[in-house]
Amino acid sequence: MRVEPEYAAVGKFFGRDPMYRIPKYQRSYAWENHEVQDFIKDLTNCYEKRRLGPGNEINHFFGGIVSVERKVTGVVHQHEYELVDGQQRFATFILFIASVISVYEEMLEEAKNNGDTTNEKIIENRISKLSERFIQFDQEVNRNTFTIDVLELSKSDKAFFSNLIKRNNPTPSRDSHHRLISAFDQILAKIKSLYATHSITDRLDNLEEFQKIIDNDFTLIHIITYDEKEAYKLFQVLNDRGKSLTEGDLLRAKTLELLEGFSTQQNLVENLWDDILIDTSKITDDHLRWIYASHYGTRAGSTTLFDDYMSRFFPQHNQIIAVTDAQVILSTIQQLKEEFEISRKISIGIWPYSSSSRSIVQWDKNRLDLLIRELGFKVTLPILLSSYHLGESKFSEIVQILEKFLFRYKTVCNQHIEAVVTIFHSHSVRMRLNPATYNIDDLKNELRIILNARANDTVFKSSLDTLAYKEGGGNKPTKYFLMALEHYKRWYDNGAAGTPTCLDKTRIYDFSSTTIEHVYPRNAHGTVQNVNLEPLKNQLENLTFMGPSDNILGSNDDFATKKPIFLASSVSLNIDIGNLSQWTTTELSTRKEALKNMGCAIFVV
């Protein structure tokens, strides 16, 4: 491979009409706050040394960048450079200069308002020169003039970055956009804090020091290559200042490399990856792992996600790619994008179907939110991704099976989850293999077996004692249990025949706006205080919940005062309490047993 390294100050690489492009296989802007702060620390150090006077300047080496050089058609002696390694640094250099220009523009307004024509011309000249070197310039191509951006980021960041450095206040739409804004704001704030003095002349001198830093003090090695295929290989082993490539970045780069020579498929895949990789690397990694387990019934390796995906999803990487292979790769990534869209919704408890059948109402949809967000069972994502393909009714049924099973098995009885995950993964594959013939009863039977073995009625009843009120938080399971009993209470009171069913789905209690209430007050004082009930006040049998429309005034009053409040409640559990004549240890004991019996009848599969 032919390479030509050049060591020089950063400013040397932004000379006459510089053109840097981020190739399509590159990731988006990835520097987080700590990396931007490192850059600012280096900048500040160089600036403070310069302020000490001539001879105190220091050099800061930013490492090596690698690019592929290409001639620009129709322009004499013009080249553009595809940055294989160095995007993060080059983008940050330009954000730095854009920040300097932004300060100059503020000073320009000040000079105009003060009638300071001398400094006005100086500032305008500096803005023009910096903009042409680092932001954009006019280029003549075959007798036509075009405005060219000095640095173009990859497609997902290109327009946003261009508008940001031109101070057009673009609206962010992905995680990398927020990182770009954050970097710009932090650098701008630091420049303003360093250069500020009262005199406009002194400020002009101080700002000029920043240009000298990039033209003299910041240095790097630019390694120029001339081979596109070698560039792909270099990309997969090089990192920007220690910023490791994510699994998604590597998959993007490798699949685009495989499609080199198939421009139609490659361009479509580039767009698909832009849509797939809009989240943080951690969230993207989670989605990739859930999707992998959903397809193959096993977790991807903790350090081999990229290799596992290439082996399973893109086996074509081990052969010479033909047009049919290119089309298969495109189809696979189209499917992956669709899976990501579904996974994004399910993983935050949003119902994944755009339109619903009449049999599915808001109550059914809320069960997914409870399973994922309130109970926190993201371990169900692989099987939920697979069950999505069974259709909405079966998906809803499986959500409710998992919700009741996992609350009983894991939340209350605290049994090990691994055996259950194995079942989930196995059924994930079976659902995908033949959605039309998949039988949900098979899943229910396996879950019943494990419940009988590890979370039977005796274990469940005993474990329900852990659902006590906890000061300072951690009461979601208790609130969920009480709300679930309320939803199924009418079915239970009617004889509890057959499968537990909510008979009144029009009553929907928003989880976040309902509150746990103590029947005997949590903070009883004076004559209300009862020495026999004090030890039991935070236990399950003394707890209920109130909906947002219920009157909770009088929560610290005695039972006689609270009876009318319970009787007027929208919650039937509360009406039962209100119908009692007194609230003693006897009533508490009776209610405790009743709640446990109801729980055993409802939390089954």
Side-chain angles (χ1 to χ4, degrees):
M1 177 173 63
R2 178 187 165 198
V3 296
E4 295 182 4
E6 178 182 8
Y7 173 81
V10 170
K12 170 70 164 42
F13 304 110
F14 291 92
R16 179 180 175 275
D17 298 347
M19 294 175 64
Y20 295 97
R21 305 291 177 255
I22 304 304
K24 61 185 63 180
Y25 52 82
Q26 273 273 21
R27 57 185 158 179
S28 301
Y29 186 75
W31 270 14
E32 304 286 355
N33 285 342
H34 68 277
E35 288 145 323
V36 175
Q37 284 300 313
D38 284 345
F39 175 88
I40 290 173
K41 181 179 179 181
D42 299 334
L43 172 66
T44 303
N45 193 26
C46 288
Y47 178 82
E48 290 177 344
K49 292 295 184 182
R50 280 190 162 274
R51 296 297 297 156
L52 295 175
N56 290 288
E57 302 89 347
I58 59 170
N59 169 265
H60 183 83
F61 180 54
F62 276 89
I65 65 168
V66 182
S67 68
V68 181
E69 181 181 288
R70 290 193 179 86
K71 291 183 178 180
V72 177
T73 305
V75 184
V76 179
H77 303 307
Q78 178 68 54
H79 296 85
E80 70 173 17
Y81 299 90
E82 280 200 355
L83 285 172
V84 178
D85 182 53
Q87 171 192 187
Q88 315 300 329
R89 281 162 289 173
F90 261 49
T92 309
F93 291 146
I94 289 181
L95 289 172
F96 163 48
I97 294 299
S99 300
V100 172
I101 293 173
S102 180
V103 175
Y104 271 130
E105 288 173 340
E106 291 180 8
M107 293 177 64
L108 180 60
E109 287 301 310
E110 180 184 345
K112 288 180 178 179
N113 292 335
N114 295 335
D116 186 351
T117 56
T118 300
N119 283 323
E120 181 182 337
K121 289 180 180 179
I122 291 173
I123 296 170
E124 286 177 339
N125 185 53
R126 290 188 185 182
I127 291 173
S128 176
K129 287 183 177 180
L130 286 175
S131 296
E132 287 181 1
R133 288 182 61 194
F134 294 93
I135 307 299
Q136 64 181 21
F137 59 89
D138 290 335
Q139 183 178 81
E140 183 181 316
V141 181
N142 297 326
R143 296 178 302 284
N144 293 308
T145 301
F146 301 91
T147 299
I148 306 297
D149 283 349
V150 170
L151 174 64
E152 286 186 359
L153 298 190
S154 55
K155 184 176 293 184
S156 57
D157 287 344
K158 178 180 175 180
F160 183 87
F161 178 74
S162 179
N163 281 302
L164 177 64
I165 61 177
K166 296 167 189 172
R167 283 80 65 208
N168 291 332
N169 298 318
T171 301
S173 62
R174 57 192 298 131
D175 193 58
S176 57
H177 296 173
H178 290 287
R179 286 194 288 266
L180 285 165
I181 289 177
S182 176
F184 178 83
D185 289 345
Q186 290 180 68
I187 294 169
L188 178 60
K190 189 62 181 181
I191 290 172
K192 287 184 174 181
S193 72
L194 290 173
Y195 94 104
T197 62
H198 294 295
S199 164
I200 191 170
T201 302
D202 288 343
R203 280 181 278 154
L204 282 173
D205 291 343
N206 290 350
L207 275 178
E208 191 173 24
E209 297 297 329
F210 290 114
Q211 182 176 334
K212 291 178 182 178
I213 289 170
I214 207 163
D215 279 337
N216 299 286
D217 302 346
F218 284 0
T219 58
L220 50 78
I221 294 176
H222 186 187
I223 302 171
I224 302 173
T225 68
Y226 301 88
D227 189 298
E228 180 76 23
K229 292 183 178 179
E230 292 294 340
Y232 278 107
K233 294 178 182 178
L234 281 168
F235 172 74
Q236 294 181 55
V237 298
L238 293 173
N239 299 325
D240 269 349
R241 206 178 191 191
K243 186 69 176 179
S244 300
L245 299 173
T246 68
E247 307 290 356
D249 295 329
L250 289 171
L251 288 169
R252 183 182 193 274
K254 185 62 180 178
T255 52
L256 288 170
E257 176 191 354
L258 293 175
L259 295 173
E260 191 67 19
F262 302 94
S263 59
T264 299
Q265 290 87 351
Q266 190 184 58
N267 289 334
L268 290 171
V269 164
E270 180 187 6
N271 292 333
L272 291 169
W273 278 117
D274 284 343
D275 291 334
I276 291 170
L277 301 178
I278 62 174
D279 303 303
T280 65
S281 59
K282 171 62 170 65
I283 292 174
T284 298
D285 186 84
D286 286 341
H287 289 307
L288 286 169
R289 292 184 179 280
W290 292 326
I291 292 168
Y292 183 91
S294 177
H295 277 267
Y296 298 107
T298 185
R299 294 187 181 96
S302 59
T303 60
T304 61
L305 182 60
F306 169 77
D307 293 328
D308 292 340
Y309 257 81
M310 293 309 300
S311 174
R312 295 279 199 167
F313 284 86
F314 306 106
Q316 303 86 357
H317 77 281
N318 282 324
Q319 63 195 50
I320 297 174
I321 303 298
V323 66
T324 53
D325 300 311
Q327 193 59 41
V328 170
I329 292 172
L330 171 60
S331 297
T332 300
I333 298 174
Q334 285 172 331
Q335 181 186 0
L336 189 60
K337 175 182 176 288
E338 292 170 2
E339 298 262 7
F340 257 77
E341 290 173 350
I342 298 165
S343 185
R344 283 192 184 105
K345 291 180 179 179
I346 295 176
S347 66
I348 57 175
I350 294 177
W351 198 251
Y353 299 90
S354 56
S355 59
S356 297
S357 64
R358 291 182 179 180
S359 62
I360 302 298
V361 296
Q362 191 58 44
W363 185 91
D364 300 292
K365 297 176 183 180
N366 281 1
R367 311 324 291 175
L368 177 64
D369 182 72
L370 290 169
L371 173 67
I372 299 298
R373 288 204 314 118
E374 306 302 348
L375 295 178
F377 285 120
K378 290 193 175 181
V379 70
T380 61
L381 259 293
I383 191 171
L384 291 176
L385 284 169
S386 292
S387 61
Y388 171 84
H389 300 284
L390 302 179
E392 189 176 27
S393 294
K394 289 185 177 179
F395 177 83
S396 178
E397 184 179 353
I398 287 172
V399 167
Q400 293 179 46
I401 291 169
L402 299 178
E403 172 201 352
K404 288 185 287 187
F405 170 82
L406 285 169
F407 178 78
R408 176 169 178 160
Y409 180 83
K410 181 60 182 173
T411 304
V412 176
C413 296
N414 196 28
Q415 296 296 319
H416 293 296
I417 200 73
E418 284 306 312
V420 175
V421 170
T422 300
I423 294 173
F424 291 169
H425 285 177
S426 171
H427 281 267
S428 297
V429 176
R430 290 167 62 179
M431 290 173 186
R432 287 186 181 273
L433 284 176
N434 203 333
T437 61
Y438 177 78
N439 189 345
I440 294 178
D441 286 340
D442 293 341
L443 173 64
K444 294 168 71 174
N445 289 335
E446 289 190 46
L447 295 181
R448 284 193 194 106
I449 291 171
I450 201 167
L451 277 184
N452 291 334
R454 304 184 183 183
N456 58 36
D457 285 355
T458 301
V459 174
F460 186 44
K461 281 186 175 183
S462 175
S463 300
L464 282 172
D465 290 332
T466 63
L467 298 184
Y469 183 85
K470 300 175 179 63
E471 298 289 349
N475 292 301
K476 277 188 176 183
T478 303
K479 180 160 64 168
Y480 167 82
F481 179 69
L482 292 167
M483 291 175 68
L485 296 190
E486 176 66 18
H487 284 305
Y488 292 96
K489 186 173 183 298
R490 189 172 146 201
W491 165 84
Y492 182 80
D493 289 343
N494 288 347
T499 302
T501 306
C502 177
L503 298 179
D504 188 3
K505 293 184 177 182
T506 60
R507 290 194 309 156
I508 301 174
Y509 296 99
D510 178 66
F511 193 87
S512 61
S513 60
T514 57
T515 57
I516 294 178
E517 295 297 325
H518 292 66
V519 182
Y520 169 75
R522 181 162 61 102
N523 298 307
H525 298 289
T527 59
V528 177
Q529 195 170 51
N530 184 315
V531 294
N532 294 319
L533 298 183
E534 275 293 319
L536 302 173
K537 65 182 180 181
N538 287 326
Q539 299 305 306
L540 177 64
E541 56 268 33
N542 188 55
L543 304 176
T544 186
F545 76 96
M546 290 288 190
S549 63
D550 289 333
N551 176 16
I552 59 173
L553 295 176
S555 58
N556 289 323
D557 292 329
D558 60 19
F559 184 70
T561 304
K562 297 170 75 170
K563 271 175 60 66
I565 296 175
F566 288 126
L567 285 171
S569 172
S570 63
V571 178
S572 60
L573 287 172
N574 294 340
I575 296 172
D576 287 349
I577 295 172
N579 282 323
L580 297 173
S581 59
Q582 58 184 351
W583 191 249
T584 68
T585 55
T586 301
E587 283 75 23
L588 282 165
S589 178
T590 301
R591 186 168 188 263
K592 178 179 182 179
E593 189 63 20
L595 293 178
K596 289 185 175 185
N597 288 336
M598 196 184 309
C600 287
I602 292 169
F603 287 93
V604 295
V605 294

